[in-house]
């Protein structure tokens, strides 16, 4: 390798005078002539692919507890879409109005076991073997839904267990209305008005004064959507001895003063269950877990499930995410860091750096050219491997009985491209540190300790959650946020921590932290390269 490097340096530096373009070509020639660098770069891409595919090798033995494929929402994300529904198809435009006078809940266990740490300790009468507990995001309200198919477009206005009135549509959109709980003494009147593909939600406390909660545009909404009343309840998140657990629960809502106006006229109300509880309510089997009782013009609905994106928790049990297919990126990254550090330190070790700098049009330009070559090579390796691993890993997981958490195409593209960007930026960081430290082993150790180790410590649940969040905010490991595919939603209760795959910073914010470290290291490398003797 020494002879190859010596010859490559001689050939590539000789014609370099003549501008940055020639210098860039010379550095590329130098890189591709050293067989060890080329093979290691190719090997990094292969390792990412192989490790990612090996992670999907397990086969799920299908049975009664086999995870089912999750429905997909209008935006391409995996969703929960399960609720008790009293509905009828209504053609054209019109208005549905209802009063919600009660929302109560019931969960596993007995009332004697209820503690102060529960999310909500109010609710119904407990029932046989159950306890009174209401999930903060239990929902009772009215909805306009494109069809009874799970994942279809919808708009709804509702009361919730602990978050007041909300208007939500197409799973990811949420707007707050009036705060407070509902009761027979303090009901909430809700209204949905359809005009073409625009749905507007309203709220009132007396039926005389109405305020708008929000507006949703549902492109392609059927002329005859399903319109009606619904109730649903996710599991209740509660503290346990080892963290946060989820207790199955159901909710019961009481509706009265149901009226249709405008182009809508009442027909026969149908009762049914959209989907199933999708894992959100576990195995709790209350005798009336899904039912609707009509009395005159009033309705009492009981249901479990949720209408929300899947972000983790019980609903994602046995489901794989895009990140699962990229676990090999760590091994590939370390291999590229070795190449990047050696790309500059080998010249120091063999005394060739003086030749390179003498032949180049400027010392800083030499380092920029090296960074462009190394960054481009690492980006290509990361992009190619992720572009192969993500779709093949998903297909293999599905074939082996493990559903994959669907994400929008834009998110999947960001993860794939982001893998290349993280590898490229980290390689430039290693190159800069190699320039500063002049020792490849030291530079490699600094990158691994500063980037890979913090990520492993944060995600291995060996540190308190606050410490894990801190590591992924202030170290270069924040850059891995660019690979996160599952978003956090305030209206979905889950365990949002590094141990469950959530970064404390948004994807591009985390990547900006990595870029900042790289920029500082590169600036220091340029300054030292200009000042000191070679």
């Amino acid at each position: 390798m020494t002879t190859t490097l010596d010859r490559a340096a001689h050939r590539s530096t000789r014609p370099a005078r003549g501008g940055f373009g020639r210098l860039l070509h010379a550095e590329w020639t130098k890189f591709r002539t050293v067989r060890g660098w080329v093979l290691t770069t190719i090997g990094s891409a292969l390792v990412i692919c192989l490790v990612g595919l090996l992670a999907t090798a397990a086969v799920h033995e299908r049975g009664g507890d086999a995870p089912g494929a999750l429905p997909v929402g209008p935006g391409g994300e995996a969703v929960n879409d399960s609720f008790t529904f009293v509905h009828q198809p209504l053609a054209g435009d019109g208005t549905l109005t209802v009063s919600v006078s009660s929302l109560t809940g019931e969960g596993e266990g007995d009332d004697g076991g209820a503690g102060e740490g529960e999310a909500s300790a109010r609710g119904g009468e407990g029932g046989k073997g159950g306890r009174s507990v209401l999930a903060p995001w239990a929902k009772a309200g009215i909805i306009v839904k494109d069809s009874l198919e799970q994942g279809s477009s919808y708009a709804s206005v509702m009361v919730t267990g602990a978050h007041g009135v909300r208007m939500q549509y197409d799973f990811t959109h949420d707007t707050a209305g009036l705060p407070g709980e509902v009761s027979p003494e303090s009901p909430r009147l809700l209204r949905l008005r359809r005009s073409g593909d625009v749905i507007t939600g309203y709220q009132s406390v007396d039926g005389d004064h109405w305020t708008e909660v929000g507006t949703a545009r549902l492109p392609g909404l059927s002329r005859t959507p399903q319109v009606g009343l619904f109730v649903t309840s996710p599991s209740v998140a509660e503290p346990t001895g080892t963290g946060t657990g989820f207790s199955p629960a159901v909710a019961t809502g009481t509706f009265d003063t149901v009226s249709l106006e405008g182009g809508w006229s009442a027909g026969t109300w149908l009762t049914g269950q959209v989907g199933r509880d999708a894992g959100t309510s576990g195995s709790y089997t209350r005798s009336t877990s899904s039912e609707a009782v009509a009395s005159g013009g009033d309705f009492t609905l009981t249901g479990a499930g949720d209408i929300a994106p899947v972000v983790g928790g019980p609903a994602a049990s046995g489901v794989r995410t895009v990140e699962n297919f990229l676990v090999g990126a760590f091994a590939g990254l370390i291999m590229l860091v070795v190449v990047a550090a050696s790309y500059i330190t080998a010249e120091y070790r063999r005394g060739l750096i003086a030749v390179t700098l003498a032949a180049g049009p400027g010392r800083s330009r030499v380092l920029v050219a090296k960074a462009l070559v190394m960054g481009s090579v690492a980006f290509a390796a990361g992009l190619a491997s992720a572009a192969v691993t993500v779709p093949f890993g998903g297909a293999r997981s599905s074939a082996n009985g493990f559903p994959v958490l669907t994400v929008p195409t834009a998110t999947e593209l960001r993860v794939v491209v982001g893998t290349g960007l993280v590898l490229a930026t980290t390689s430039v960081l290693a190159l800069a540190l190699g320039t500063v430290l002049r020792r490849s082993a030291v530079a490699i150790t600094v990158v691994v300790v500063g980037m890979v180790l913090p990520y492993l410590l944060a995600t291995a649940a060996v540190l308190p959650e606050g410490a894990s969040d801190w590591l992924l905010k202030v170290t270069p490991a924040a850059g891995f946020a660019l690979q996160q595919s599952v978003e956090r939603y305030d209206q979905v209760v889950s365990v949002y921590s590094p141990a469950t795959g959530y970064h404390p910073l948004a994807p591009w914010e985390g990547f900006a932290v990595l870029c900042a470290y790289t920029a500082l290291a590169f600036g220091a490398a340029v300054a030292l390269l200009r000042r000191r003797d070679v």
Side-chain angles (χ1 to χ4, degrees), residues 67 70 80 278-280 310-321 403 405 494:
L70 294 170
N80 283 321
T280 57
V310 174
V311 298
S317 177
V319 178
R320 287 176 174 161
T321 64
L405 198 64
S494 187

Side-chain angles (χ1 to χ4, degrees), residues 241 288 300 316 328 381 502:
T288 55
T300 299
Y502 287 91

Side-chain angles (χ1 to χ4, degrees), residues 58-127:
V59 177
H60 193 285
E61 298 297 334
R62 292 187 177 275
D65 61 344
L70 294 170
V72 178
E77 62 286 312
V79 298
N80 283 321
D81 196 8
S82 177
F83 54 96
T84 300
F85 196 16
V86 172
H87 61 95
Q88 57 180 292
L90 295 171
D93 299 338
T95 300
L96 169 62
T97 304
V98 69
S99 174
V100 184
S101 58
S102 174
L103 178 59
T104 59
E106 180 182 316
E108 279 186 335
D110 53 58
D111 288 325
E116 294 181 359
E118 294 172 352
S120 174
R122 68 176 188 85
E125 299 177 354

Side-chain angles (χ1 to χ4, degrees), residues 121-132:
R122 68 176 188 85
E125 299 177 354
K128 298 179 180 179
R131 62 188 172 98
S132 175

Side-chain angles (χ1 to χ4, degrees), residues 212-234:
E212 181 178 318
V213 183
T215 298
R217 182 176 294 277
L218 308 180
L221 181 64
S222 167
R223 174 163 176 78
T224 311
Q226 298 291 326
V227 180
L229 323 174
F230 77 95
V231 168
T232 190
S233 175

Side-chain angles (χ1 to χ4, degrees), residues 1 5 8 27 29-44 335-336 338-347 349 370 374 377:
M1 181 171 173
L5 181 59
E27 288 298 329
T29 301
K30 185 184 301 182
F31 183 91
R32 66 182 177 82
T33 307
V34 180
R35 183 177 301 175
W37 295 345
V38 175
L39 293 178
T40 302
T41 301
I42 296 173
S44 70
M335 295 172 69
L336 289 171
V338 171
V339 173
S342 301
Y343 189 28
I344 183 70
T345 58
E347 297 201 41
R349 188 172 64 253
K370 285 182 176 293
M374 190 65 239
V377 168

Side-chain angles (χ1 to χ4, degrees), residues 109 116 318 376 388 425 502:
E116 294 181 359
S376 298
V388 170
T425 307
Y502 287 91

Side-chain angles (χ1 to χ4, degrees), residues 238-504:
E238 298 178 315
T240 66
T242 57
T244 300
F246 292 88
S247 299
V250 297
T252 299
T254 302
F255 304 80
D256 53 56
T257 322
V258 180
S259 66
L260 296 168
E261 302 172 4
W264 289 346
S265 57
T268 301
W269 291 104
L270 305 174
T271 300
Q273 171 79 15
V274 172
R276 54 186 180 86
D277 71 357
T280 57
S281 292
S283 60
Y284 182 45
T285 55
R286 181 181 185 271
S287 60
T288 55
S289 59
S290 176
E291 68 175 10
V293 178
S295 177
D298 300 342
F299 293 88
T300 299
L301 277 64
T302 298
D306 204 357
I307 311 175
V310 174
V311 298
S317 177
V319 178
R320 287 176 174 161
T321 64
V322 173
E323 294 93 320
N324 295 146
F325 312 138
L326 295 173
V327 293
F330 294 100
L333 181 143
I334 293 173
M335 295 172 69
L336 289 171
V337 165
V338 171
V339 173
S342 301
Y343 189 28
I344 183 70
T345 58
E347 297 201 41
Y348 279 111
R349 188 172 64 253
R350 300 302 174 189
L352 299 175
I353 189 67
V355 178
T356 299
L357 296 178
R363 292 191 173 191
S364 60
R365 290 190 177 188
V366 169
L367 195 58
V368 170
K370 285 182 176 293
L372 287 174
V373 170
M374 190 65 239
S376 298
V377 168
F379 176 77
L383 179 67
S385 57
V388 170
T389 305
V390 168
F392 275 87
R396 191 177 186 189
S397 291
S398 298
N400 289 344
F402 290 92
V404 178
L405 198 64
T406 309
V407 296
T409 301
T411 299
E412 185 171 305
L413 180 62
R414 188 250 299 156
V415 172
V416 171
V417 175
T419 300
L421 290 174
V422 170
L423 267 58
T425 307
T426 308
S427 296
V428 174
L429 174 62
L431 174 71
L433 290 174
T435 305
V436 172
L437 301 171
R438 301 188 183 187
R439 296 289 185 274
S440 59
V442 180
I444 294 165
T445 301
V446 171
V447 175
V448 171
V449 171
M451 186 163 185
V452 178
L453 184 60
Y455 181 87
L456 295 178
L457 289 174
T459 57
V462 297
L463 298 174
E465 186 173 329
S468 297
D469 285 347
W470 182 82
L471 281 177
L472 294 183
K473 285 181 178 179
V474 303
T475 67
F480 287 117
L482 204 53
Q483 291 183 309
Q484 180 173 304
S485 67
V486 186
E487 295 188 35
R488 174 173 182 163
Y489 295 94
D490 291 337
Q491 72 270 27
V492 184
V493 176
S494 187
V495 181
Y496 296 102
S497 71
T500 57
Y502 287 91
H503 290 256

